[in-house]
Amino acid sequence: NVAMAAQMTDAHRRLLQVLMSHGIMEGSETRKLHRRCCEIDKVYYAHDKLDDFISTINSHLQPLFMQIRKGMSEDDGRAHYALVNLAETEITKMASDYTENELELFRKTMDLIISSENGFASSTDILNLADQLKTKKMKKKEAEQVLKVFVEDKWLSERNGEYTLHTRCIIEMEQYILSNYPDVARKCNICHSLAIQSQVCESCGIVMHLPCVRKYFRAQTEPRCPQCNDFWACDIP
């Protein structure tokens, strides 16, 4: 397979190294990086060929059980690229960076976010879990500090005291979340990737990301569900 794959150049290696150090990069940043890598290493550059360029890297990463994946920010619908380790489940991957009770707090936070109506959990609700941890109870101050680290490490995003899963977390943990939360985790009806912040059709129950809702209904005079054609009762963002 690798023999058949397009040749890895220094430009490919350079992009991979930068992405590894960032963990995740926004689409426009990745496109700029693609151009810069090609210019520095004097490799043919085509502005519309980033995904092909990444496919080449992925074909060489395959034996290492790693992959660059493209995902979408649930806030603004922008594309992001993240380097994902396919060999380990994501929670075990986090285990090398965090203590057992920090991981338990993350799991409990994830439970709250995924089972919530809007894909967010309040800091109050999360901090209330800190002294109920089975591994080792956490003081509120300590838990606040841990949440800050989860935000810095791009596992969580925080807005006005409300937490949700960071785009990096959604891209990396999509399979884990879908298999561990089969009753509540759903895929967006439009882009078919995991939807945490979403709207639900009141008639047939399908879910759509907020950016997908915005895009889908932009062209329609009357918002109707793409699945059952009933009136879409939620407010269009």
Side-chain angles (χ1 to χ4, degrees):
N1 213 16
V2 175
M4 296 291 293
Q7 201 51 45
M8 268 278 267
T9 66
D10 284 344
H12 292 91
R13 290 185 196 95
R14 193 180 294 272
L15 185 135
L16 176 60
Q17 277 172 341
V18 175
L19 191 56
M20 276 173 95
S21 68
H22 284 71
I24 184 166
M25 285 180 76
E26 208 250 309
S28 62
E29 288 299 308
T30 314
R31 284 192 292 280
K32 275 186 218 153
L33 175 65
H34 173 216
R35 182 179 187 156
R36 206 159 59 238
C37 291
C38 291
E39 283 168 359
I40 293 169
D41 294 304
K42 297 181 173 47
V43 168
Y44 170 71
Y45 166 73
H47 72 92
D48 57 347
K49 291 282 187 271
L50 172 61
D51 287 349
D52 292 351
F53 192 84
I54 284 173
S55 294
T56 298
I57 300 172
N58 279 341
S59 62
H60 292 266
L61 286 177
Q62 209 180 344
L64 308 171
F65 300 105
M66 295 187 88
Q67 190 181 54
I68 297 171
R69 276 197 189 152
K70 189 178 180 179
M72 179 187 80
S73 157
E74 294 198 324
D75 289 332
D76 55 23
R78 285 185 188 160
H80 283 70
Y81 292 86
L83 185 67
V84 178
N85 185 335
L86 306 171
E88 305 171 322
T89 68
E90 289 64 16
I91 293 282
T92 57
K93 187 164 44 191
M94 290 175 75
S96 56
D97 298 322
Y98 306 104
T99 63
E100 266 184 60
N101 65 334
E102 288 169 350
L103 272 186
E104 191 186 347
L105 184 69
F106 180 78
R107 277 200 194 91
K108 285 188 178 299
T109 303
M110 199 145 112
D111 291 346
L112 283 179
I113 291 168
I114 293 168
S115 55
S116 72
E117 289 278 297
N118 62 354
F120 281 90
S122 73
S123 55
T124 315
D125 288 347
I126 298 169
L127 294 175
N128 285 340
L129 300 170
D131 55 5
Q132 299 166 25
L133 300 179
K134 289 190 178 73
T135 39
K136 180 171 163 244
K137 291 179 175 42
M138 237 186 242
K139 292 192 173 72
K140 285 220 164 85
K141 264 272 164 276
E142 199 186 335
E144 276 170 3
Q145 203 43 49
V146 172
L147 284 175
K148 216 159 134 186
V149 173
F150 286 144
V151 170
E152 280 163 16
D153 292 349
K154 299 178 181 139
W155 293 110
L156 296 177
S157 292
E158 185 265 343
R159 205 168 58 213
N160 308 324
E162 297 273 314
Y163 289 84
T164 188
L165 301 184
H166 192 284
T167 308
R168 173 197 179 181
C169 181
I170 294 172
I171 295 174
E172 293 213 18
M173 297 210 184
E174 180 164 358
Q175 280 323 113
Y176 174 88
I177 292 168
L178 287 168
S179 49
N180 283 273
Y181 298 88
D183 301 334
V184 281
R186 311 281 292 282
K187 284 189 176 188
C188 169
N189 189 266
I190 301 296
C191 71
H192 308 296
S193 54
L194 175 67
I196 302 293
Q197 297 173 48
S198 57
Q199 290 186 351
V200 184
C201 173
E202 290 180 1
S203 304
C204 70
I206 64 143
V207 303
M208 278 157 73
H209 281 125
L210 302 186
C212 294
V213 166
R214 216 172 19 237
K215 222 184 270 175
Y216 183 77
F217 292 129
R218 195 182 289 152
Q220 299 192 15
T221 43
E222 193 183 40
R224 294 199 161 272
C225 173
Q227 179 87 4
C228 69
N229 207 34
D230 268 7
F231 182 74
W232 192 265
C234 307
D235 291 337
I236 311 300

